Amino acid sequence: MFLSGTLSDTLSPSARPMARRALARVLAGHVVIGMTLGGVACGGGGGSSTGETLRGVVLVDFLQAGQDNVPLNRTLEFRFSGPIDPRSVNPDSIQVRSGALFGSQVFGTYIIEGSTVRFEPKLASLCDLSDGGFQPDIDYRVTLVGSPEGFAIRDLAGDPLQSTINALFHTRRITDPQLFEDQVPGTAPTLVASSPVDEAYPQAPFAISADVQVQQGNRVVLTFSENVNPCTVSENTVLFHQYATGDLTFGFVPHADQTPSTPTTWGSGNATTPARRVRATFSLSQDQLTTKLILTPVFGEFPDNALLVVQVTNNVQDFGGNAMVPKAISFVTENRPLQVSRRTFDFATDFPSDPNVSTGDVNSLRSPGRAQGWLLFAGDGDNGTNLLSLTGPTSASGPVGCTSAGSQANDGSPDDFDPTADVTLHTGATRNTCRNSTDGSTAVVFEFRTFRIRNGVTVRIVGVNAAILLVSGDIHIEATGRLLARGDNSGGAPNSAGTSGVVTTTAPPAGGSGVAGGGDGGTASTGTVVSPAIYGQNGTAGLGSIDAYLTPGVGGSASPTRQGQGRGSVGQFVGNANLGQANRMAPGAGGGGHATPGGTGTNLIGAGALAPTLMDAFVDGVGGTTTGDPTGRMRTAETGSGGGGGGPAVWASQNVAGTGGSGGAGGGFVDLTSSSNITILGTVDAAGSRGGPLSATIISGPAFAFYGGGGGGGGGSGGGIRILSPKHVTLGPTTVLTTAGGLGGSTPFLAGFNVANPGGAGGLGRIAIEDSDSVIAGIGSATLIPGEGAPAGFYRGPFDATRFQGGGLQPVVISSLIDTGPVSPQFIAPDQTYAGTPVAAPGTPRVDFAAGIPLIASRGVGKTGILLEVQGFAALPDGTASSVGTGWRAIGYFKDSGAETFPTWTLGLPPPADVPAPSDSAGIGFGALNGRQFVQFRITFYLKSGMGPFDAGPYLDRWDFYYSYDQ
């Protein structure tokens, strides 16, 4: 029998006849339409101003109008003045809506009984209640549409509701113990007999002659006497187990002393100890009339020759908290001979890839319905055992004799970069000469799956090499997170600024040390008297820019080779005390250059000079010239150049001098490349550092006192920031991207000693941002130095893949665990005979794959394009997968045959001369997985070097694999 649920406060369960099955029931679909908000009104008729009675139906009562504690399973009841035409009742004429603007239609069912219309909200089948019609603590509006609308509620004569009526109600809170009302108060739920047998158990125990047939579509259907709380229905409260296996020849034969009422022991057979869970999906569906729980085996059919038992425990409860009357149901299944089955992977729907470890595409926008490899210009997500150490390039990736910065190998585990405190990424202590396979520069590479810098966290890049961060997933720098490619001496980082000048005749102050590939600042010369002209030293060129390996210029020479780096200034020799204070001490050094030239070192003429022109022959420090990609796209890494060191001023008769300040280092280079989205709301800083100022120390001579007089150091130029994504880049008002040049070293000023010899400022560096359409969200509110519209240094454009060199970064697709279903499957090696048929028995010609290797992706005829591997895991008695697997076993590989859609299939591993075996390979053979119910697949795509990310790679459209089983 069936027990229906409570409809209203005025109708008891006993008053509801079974005839309700025949009532008109109209499903309320999710229809959103516009409406005019009216006033709340319930009941009443209407009349004209002359007293004439209006034709049509009126609402007598809406029981829930104005209530603020409506249970989530309460049926709304509307009583009208006359019988209602069922054809006029639908989601348009009776609108039940929720949300801030009451725009969301509520799912449910309409029931029409004469002059009464009821709306039953869809009952939740999930514990979080998300699939229910009514939600907790929500305002709902009911609109009953009347005249003059064409879709008004009408009576049997076709006359409409006289006017549109609106009413509100509010549901109970989630914490309310009576969030749902008990459908049958005070009564425990029970099971109601169900049929037919192919839907599962109807009776218990079965007669042996009534073994359930095993076939696709088997399922257990349990019907309850009333609604149940979905949070109490799970595989832990409803148990589905196999307790025994029958005789292999005769199946289950009753014992003479068998007790039919014992559901877990039945006839001859082998007991399964402990009982083995039948892996099944649970689907609960319920409305006011019925509540059903459907258990569907994951394989789609029952195990054969099995004693299966379903136990519904008293942990299942109704909405009132009443515990279920426990029930055990048992049945046996037919004994079948050895079966052969086929599993088809339809990559549009049936291949559960694991996005956390997969770097290839599965049913994506660019690979619909297939698994496919595309160039991984954003790496494989595996940065080795030490996340703070680089993974490339290695000496093996460059020419013979190249010098590697000491990269680490992958460890087979993708890495998520998400530090909770400040960390440092080190690019190596020696200059790298091995070219990477990303953009062909000598920048070193870090590869992560995702990259995040939290609020308040600073990530510093140090070492002498530029850095490329390849991220296969999202990049997110939060509002107060910082990524620094300059050593600002904050928090223990290296000091890239020039050092102040000093009064000395020996060791001069050294220039700032560049980080992340930035050039070092020039050293200031000593103050020892060696000639009438003494030069500060040039800063070095930044690593990675086009002048990275040119010899730095000789400071002060007439035609120095100084591409990028600032030139040191000429020192001043004061040879005659009778001239008084020198008009010029040593001029300041030049700033480094990059996207814009570095500034020229300057000086001011002293006001008390006797002969201002005597020193004019000396040369000021000259700023570095522009370097790098003239288009601004930064096809390779570009870093900033160092500023020159200031020259000294020498007092000959005393053999003492004031040295100049040393040069500041150039900014480093940092590349953020992702194959997904990039969001930068914090700071990325690759600015140059300041030049060293002069000392405030006064040197006392025989006739007067004067400042040290050395030139200020030149500022380092800004470095490079490159942000690349084929998807979307997002900035915001808290974003700061800066490659500003460092300030030149200043000089002290004191009345009566007017010498001012500041170093030149460093030139601006470069910023390049590229995404799918060059429309960068939030760019207008971000702080960018240089900014858009600057004469040089800023580039924004569509994503350009031509800079990427490819090579070695192979995309991989890994499935999640797949439950094959049979208890002990025996896997059959795949075949691929193109003259065969797509579906055929093992051992006969068949087509197991639909695969292809496009010409643009081919590594050459006979070369491997796709490798298939698999690993297996046994099912534990509780139905979960064992943590101990077989390891990755090679099934086979596809080679290019010269025809895209007919690649050659070969079992086993490719020859090492073609592609090396994966480092974690455990051997070959699909049969190594026999008996494992859970399997996991890995598909590796091998691409031609030089491909771009928009060039289509090898693909699989479909895969049929076969296995046999006898349970």
Side-chain angles (χ1 to χ4, degrees):
M1 63 177 293
F2 291 89
L3 298 178
S4 57
T6 301
L7 292 179
S8 72
D9 292 333
T10 61
L11 292 178
S12 67
S14 60
R16 275 176 263 115
M18 295 300 294
R20 280 194 53 197
R21 284 181 169 277
L23 296 177
R25 300 174 65 84
V26 183
L27 178 65
H30 196 72
V31 180
V32 180
I33 59 175
M35 64 190 70
T36 301
L37 299 181
V40 176
C42 294
S48 70
S49 60
T50 61
E52 179 183 356
T53 302
L54 297 177
R55 298 179 59 187
V57 66
V58 297
L59 179 66
V60 175
D61 198 3
F62 168 30
L63 299 184
Q64 285 74 40
Q67 293 184 5
D68 62 0
N69 61 344
V70 175
L72 301 192
N73 59 340
R74 175 67 57 82
T75 295
L76 307 182
E77 184 170 330
F78 310 94
R79 297 177 182 175
F80 296 91
S81 59
I84 299 300
D85 183 355
R87 295 172 299 179
S88 71
V89 176
N90 54 59
D92 292 330
S93 61
I94 300 182
Q95 301 171 10
V96 185
R97 296 179 179 273
S98 66
L101 299 177
F102 301 107
S104 299
Q105 182 81 8
V106 175
F107 284 101
T109 304
Y110 298 94
I111 302 102
I112 301 91
E113 293 181 285
S115 61
T116 300
V117 177
R118 297 183 180 90
F119 176 80
E120 294 179 352
K122 183 180 183 299
L123 297 184
S125 62
L126 302 176
C127 185
D128 64 4
L129 310 180
S130 59
D131 63 333
F134 290 159
Q135 297 295 305
D137 199 18
I138 295 291
D139 284 321
Y140 290 88
R141 187 182 69 188
V142 176
T143 299
L144 305 172
V145 178
S147 178
E149 300 294 343
F151 49 89
I153 302 169
R154 298 180 183 275
D155 61 18
L156 296 178
D159 295 325
L161 181 67
Q162 289 185 358
S163 63
T164 295
I165 298 171
N166 289 286
L168 300 176
F169 66 90
H170 191 85
T171 52
R172 292 176 177 173
R173 296 182 178 181
I174 189 70
T175 55
D176 193 322
Q178 294 182 323
L179 181 64
F180 291 90
E181 58 187 352
D182 193 356
Q183 192 181 36
V184 184
T187 302
T190 60
L191 283 183
V192 180
S194 62
S195 62
V197 295
D198 64 351
E199 285 197 336
Y201 143 85
Q203 307 288 338
F206 274 134
I208 296 302
S209 60
D211 293 355
V212 172
Q213 183 180 2
V214 175
Q215 59 186 13
Q216 285 292 306
N218 285 149
R219 57 184 190 161
V220 174
V221 179
L222 304 175
T223 302
F224 295 87
S225 60
E226 62 172 299
N227 297 152
V228 296
N229 184 338
C231 293
T232 66
V233 177
S234 71
E235 61 181 15
N236 296 319
T237 62
V238 179
L239 311 178
F240 189 14
H241 286 82
Q242 178 176 340
Y243 273 83
T245 301
D247 183 272
L248 296 180
T249 302
F250 303 105
F252 281 90
V253 179
H255 292 293
D257 59 348
Q258 178 66 37
T259 303
S261 62
T262 304
T264 59
T265 60
W266 193 358
S268 62
N270 302 304
T272 302
T273 306
R276 180 171 56 233
R277 184 185 297 275
V278 178
R279 301 184 304 283
T281 59
F282 283 49
S283 176
L284 177 66
S285 63
Q286 52 185 347
D287 57 27
Q288 297 282 7
L289 291 182
T290 60
T291 295
K292 287 187 176 183
L293 175 63
I294 301 176
L295 313 181
T296 304
V298 295
F299 188 44
E301 62 185 45
F302 296 136
D304 67 286
N305 197 23
L307 170 60
L308 302 181
V309 181
V310 178
Q311 299 177 72
V312 184
T313 70
N314 60 3
N315 290 313
V316 176
Q317 300 175 0
D318 64 14
F319 282 134
N322 300 304
M324 177 79 188
V325 176
K327 181 73 172 181
I329 304 161
S330 64
F331 59 97
V332 295
T333 57
E334 66 175 324
N335 184 14
R336 293 194 298 179
L338 178 71
Q339 301 290 307
V340 174
S341 187
R342 181 184 87 254
R343 176 72 176 263
T344 297
F345 277 152
D346 177 351
F347 290 96
T349 58
D350 192 43
F351 188 86
S353 65
D354 186 344
N356 292 324
V357 293
S358 296
T359 54
D361 285 22
V362 179
N363 193 34
S364 66
L365 290 177
R366 60 181 178 178
S367 299
R370 61 175 52 174
Q372 188 166 17
W374 300 77
L375 175 66
L376 278 184
F377 56 88
D380 60 5
D382 185 351
N383 204 58
T385 57
N386 181 1
L387 267 63
L388 306 184
S389 180
L390 57 141
T391 60
T394 64
S395 57
S397 66
V400 176
C402 76
T403 302
S404 172
S407 62
Q408 61 179 331
N410 289 342
D411 62 358
S413 176
D415 299 303
D416 296 306
F417 185 83
D418 186 12
T420 57
D422 294 358
V423 296
T424 297
L425 300 176
H426 204 294
T427 65
T430 58
R431 294 285 189 181
N432 194 38
T433 62
C434 296
R435 303 285 171 171
N436 65 54
S437 59
T438 303
D439 66 357
S441 72
T442 57
V444 298
V445 178
F446 298 80
E447 297 185 28
F448 301 106
R449 177 169 56 189
T450 59
F451 186 90
R452 176 189 179 193
I453 301 180
R454 299 169 182 251
N455 283 323
V457 172
T458 295
V459 176
R460 303 180 187 279
I461 302 176
V462 300
V464 300
N465 297 298
I468 294 176
L469 306 179
L470 297 184
V471 183
S472 57
D474 289 342
I475 294 175
H476 192 155
I477 300 178
E478 297 178 356
T480 58
R482 299 194 304 165
L483 177 62
L484 303 182
R486 61 177 292 183
D488 59 1
N489 201 33
S490 173
N495 187 356
S496 296
T499 306
S500 300
V502 295
V503 178
T504 180
T505 58
T506 55
S513 298
V515 296
D520 295 341
T523 299
S525 296
T526 66
T528 304
V529 179
V530 293
S531 70
I534 300 175
Y535 305 98
Q537 302 299 307
N538 292 346
T540 60
L543 175 68
S545 52
I546 61 172
D547 59 306
Y549 299 110
L550 296 178
T551 302
V554 178
S557 61
S559 301
T561 304
R562 60 178 191 279
Q563 293 175 324
Q565 69 271 32
R567 184 170 121 189
S569 61
V570 175
Q572 168 60 51
F573 175 64
V574 182
N576 188 342
N578 293 327
L579 293 178
Q581 180 184 5
N583 293 325
R584 284 182 155 194
M585 299 304 182
H594 185 186
T596 60
T600 300
T602 60
N603 61 82
L604 299 178
I605 297 175
L610 298 177
T613 62
L614 290 180
M615 303 301 177
D616 287 349
F618 293 101
V619 180
D620 292 337
V622 178
T625 58
T626 60
T627 65
D629 188 341
T631 69
R633 293 160 62 195
M634 283 201 290
R635 298 184 63 83
T636 62
E638 296 184 19
T639 59
S641 303
V650 180
W651 179 249
S653 63
Q654 299 296 316
N655 197 29
V656 295
T659 65
S662 59
F669 172 84
V670 58
D671 171 291
L672 292 168
T673 294
S674 169
S675 59
S676 188
N677 297 309
I678 300 177
T679 301
I680 300 176
L681 303 178
T683 297
V684 181
D685 187 340
S689 297
R690 65 168 177 80
L694 298 186
S695 169
T697 302
I698 297 178
I699 299 176
S700 298
F704 54 85
F706 65 97
Y707 273 104
S717 72
I721 296 174
R722 190 169 66 186
I723 300 169
L724 308 174
S725 169
K727 293 187 178 178
H728 300 291
V729 174
T730 301
L731 309 178
T734 56
T735 303
V736 177
L737 305 179
T738 178
T739 59
L743 298 176
S746 61
T747 55
F749 179 85
L750 184 66
F753 302 98
N754 293 327
V755 289
N757 310 325
L764 290 171
R766 281 202 172 95
I767 297 174
I769 307 177
E770 299 176 12
D771 73 354
S772 61
D773 54 8
S774 79
V775 178
I776 311 301
I779 192 171
S781 62
T783 300
L784 308 175
I785 304 173
E788 191 160 20
F794 183 86
Y795 173 81
R796 173 169 65 93
F799 178 77
D800 173 23
T802 60
R803 64 167 56 85
F804 296 105
Q805 308 298 305
L809 303 180
Q810 305 300 341
V812 175
V813 169
I814 299 179
S815 76
S816 52
L817 284 183
I818 297 171
D819 191 344
T820 62
V823 172
S824 183
Q826 306 294 302
F827 297 96
I828 301 169
D831 196 3
Q832 185 73 346
T833 306
Y834 292 104
T837 58
V839 179
T844 62
R846 64 183 192 270
V847 181
D848 287 355
F849 300 97
I853 302 176
L855 177 62
I856 197 170
S858 173
R859 301 172 54 248
V861 175
K863 297 293 186 179
T864 300
I866 307 173
L867 171 65
L868 272 66
E869 299 171 281
V870 64
Q871 61 180 337
F873 301 85
L876 299 175
D878 65 357
T880 61
S882 170
S883 60
V884 179
T886 61
W888 290 111
R889 304 281 179 160
I891 302 173
Y893 57 98
F894 282 103
K895 299 184 295 185
D896 184 12
S897 65
E900 175 179 332
T901 57
F902 298 97
T904 303
W905 169 252
T906 306
L907 294 173
L909 279 167
D914 185 4
V915 293
S919 59
D920 55 351
S921 176
I924 62 175
F926 210 175
L929 275 66
N930 287 343
R932 271 76 173 188
Q933 295 94 326
F934 290 91
V935 295
Q936 186 177 32
F937 294 94
R938 181 167 70 179
I939 307 170
T940 303
F941 300 97
Y942 296 93
L943 310 179
K944 178 175 64 177
S945 179
M947 285 181 61
F950 301 115
D951 295 333
Y955 57 85
L956 283 177
D957 273 342
R958 192 204 74 248
W959 178 16
D960 295 329
F961 72 86
Y962 292 81
Y963 49 91
S964 63
Y965 58 97
D966 187 356
Q967 305 186 98

